């Protein structure tokens, strides 16, 4: 399942069988990892190598993960501090946050 809208027209691939979304930028693999428990997606880690940092890649991965959650009717728990901050800055995703999630 491929998602568009990544920076520099990179393709973000949702590897559901591995519970991650990935994109490759200039040969560097960038990832967002999650656990799925029923219909609750717990995002645990966003990883963008320093060599390609500062290009909005983590934001694109986060947006893609949240759109996947919306598409699949999942609620989200942001264990990753980057994702928690992203949701605070993008209130259009606040409705995805699972009740009782750390704020």
């Amino acid at each position: 399942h491929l998602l568009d809208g990544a920076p520099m027209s990179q393709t973000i691939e949702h590897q559901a069988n591995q519970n991650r979304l990935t994109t490759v930028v200039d040969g560097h693999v960038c990832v967002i990892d999650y656990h799925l428990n029923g219909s609750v997606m717990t995002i645990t880690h966003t990883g963008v190598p320093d060599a390609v940092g500062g290009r909005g890649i983590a934001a694109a991965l986060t947006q893609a993960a949240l759109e996947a959650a919306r598409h699949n009717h999942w609620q989200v728990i942001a264990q990753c501090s980057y994702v928690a901050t992203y949701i605070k800055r993008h209130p259009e995703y606040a409705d995805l946050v699972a009740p009782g999630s750390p704020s």
Side-chain angles (χ1 to χ4, degrees):
H1 182 220
L2 302 178
L3 300 169
D4 296 325
M8 304 172 303
S9 71
Q10 292 292 318
T11 300
I12 295 176
E13 183 178 354
H14 186 182
Q15 299 172 333
N17 60 334
Q18 296 179 28
N19 288 357
R20 65 177 20 187
L21 288 86
T22 64
T23 189
V24 178
V25 179
D26 295 345
H28 297 276
V29 178
C30 308
V31 303
I32 191 164
D33 294 310
Y34 65 90
H35 297 298
L36 193 60
N37 184 359
S39 63
V40 178
M41 174 191 224
T42 301
I43 301 175
T44 57
H45 174 72
T46 305
V48 175
D50 290 341
V52 293
R55 300 189 194 180
I57 299 164
L61 285 166
T62 300
Q63 181 181 9
L66 294 172
E67 289 296 333
R70 188 178 302 288
H71 176 77
N72 290 294
H73 306 289
W74 296 338
Q75 293 185 306
V76 173
I77 297 174
Q79 281 186 349
C80 169
S81 60
Y82 178 88
V83 174
T85 300
Y86 183 94
I87 293 171
K88 285 180 183 168
R89 291 182 181 160
H90 297 84
E92 65 269 25
Y93 293 112
D95 63 305
L96 296 175
V97 176
S101 293
S103 54

